[in-house]
Amino acid sequence: MTNHEIATIVCALIAAMLIALGAVAQQRAAAAVPAGTSLLGGLLRSPRWWAGIVGDVGGYAMQVLALAFGAVLVVQPILVSALVFALPLSARLNGKRITARAATTALILVAALALFLIVGRPTAGEDSAPFREWVVPLAILLGVILTATVTGLLITSRSGQALALGLAGGALFGVAAALTDRVVTLFGDGIGAVLGGWQTWTLVAAGLLGVYLQQRAFQAGPLSASLPAATIAEPLAAAFLGLTALGEHLRTSGAGLVVVGACVVVMCAATVVLCRTGAVTAEPAQ
């Protein structure tokens, strides 16, 4: 393993920890805002929410650094490990205990992630892909995001709302992540290139809408319903764009591709299990 690969993994893991801290703080703040009142107004008055935003900003900065060293297909799946940090922390802060089933499911999810990276061995792609290469993949993703958002706004189940809105928010963060490397590169050409690049404004729009939908998901239900959906949607969306628009690819074939596909299925299934079963019991933590 090269120094760049090690740096990519370390930076991505630090990003995952900071994102987990931010998610826990933001979910507690959003859940405290009564239904029917202004969500944005309630959050802006919450010191806990601002602390969560600081965690998110730090996590995003480490994510940018990780992307400077490695491919989207490497960085984004590692962020799934945020679940391992967030669920126990959320349980502890709420005076509860994480269930054995939830802990086992989270570990299976992370193990599938590790196997994906070891077998798939993703490569870096081309950050300057022309807009025409993005049109169809972005249209497909936006269709999925719109469907998830409408579903989350219309259904009555609070955990279902949290799952659907978390999925939409996470996919938008995946779009932002896939565009990040290119926007950073544009800074080398001057501020005019940054302000004139479609990638910059798409990233900003995806990030802001993703944050809003994430807060709605946090308000709707427990962290165990929203965070797994958001956490798995982000790397899958980013990986989809990496493979279709950026020219990234997996250095495996045959049986290796079967294993990689199985890992993706296991990660998705584990996410659904975490959302449906809940992560904590009512039993107080010792």
Side-chain angles (χ1 to χ4, degrees), residues 40-286:
L40 182 59
L43 293 177
L44 291 176
R45 292 190 296 269
S46 171
R48 180 178 291 157
W49 185 77
W50 283 108
I53 290 297
V54 171
D56 267 359
V57 171
Y60 184 69
M62 293 306 300
Q63 183 179 344
V64 170
L65 188 57
L67 288 169
F69 288 114
V72 170
L73 282 176
V74 175
V75 175
Q76 290 304 307
I78 293 176
L79 298 185
V80 173
S81 63
L83 284 173
V84 178
F85 306 119
L87 294 182
L89 178 60
S90 178
R92 182 69 180 178
L93 292 177
N94 286 288
K96 298 179 180 180
R97 179 176 294 167
I98 191 168
T99 65
R101 182 177 184 182
T104 301
T105 303
L107 289 175
I108 290 173
L109 191 155
V110 174
L113 158 67
L115 191 59
F116 172 90
L117 293 174
I118 292 171
V119 176
R121 298 168 60 228
T123 66
E126 182 59 56
D127 63 18
S128 59
F131 180 70
R132 64 177 179 274
E133 301 292 337
W134 290 84
V135 174
V136 173
L138 278 177
I140 293 172
L141 265 185
L142 290 177
V144 172
I145 291 166
L146 180 60
T147 301
T149 301
V150 172
T151 300
L153 294 175
L154 294 180
I155 61 177
T156 56
S157 167
R158 293 185 66 82
S159 61
Q161 291 175 9
L163 189 155
L165 293 174
L167 175 67
L172 283 165
F173 289 144
V175 173
L179 292 166
T180 294
D181 203 26
R182 177 54 181 165
V183 173
V184 171
T185 302
L186 288 176
F187 276 96
D189 298 325
I191 192 65
V194 175
L195 295 178
W198 67 267
Q199 298 94 335
T200 303
W201 301 109
T202 305
L203 186 155
V204 170
L208 290 177
L209 184 55
V211 168
Y212 175 73
L213 292 177
Q214 183 186 58
Q215 306 312 310
R216 288 291 300 267
F218 286 161
Q219 183 187 34
L223 197 68
S224 58
S226 57
L227 187 61
T231 303
I232 197 66
E234 180 176 348
L236 288 180
F240 173 71
L241 291 175
L243 289 168
T244 57
L246 299 178
E248 296 183 354
H249 62 275
L250 302 173
R251 288 179 288 185
T252 187
S253 60
L257 287 176
V258 174
V259 172
V260 168
C263 289
V264 173
V265 172
V266 169
M267 285 191 284
C268 292
T271 299
V272 173
V273 170
L274 282 172
C275 291
R276 295 186 64 182
T277 63
V280 295
T281 67
E283 184 179 355
Q286 300 297 320

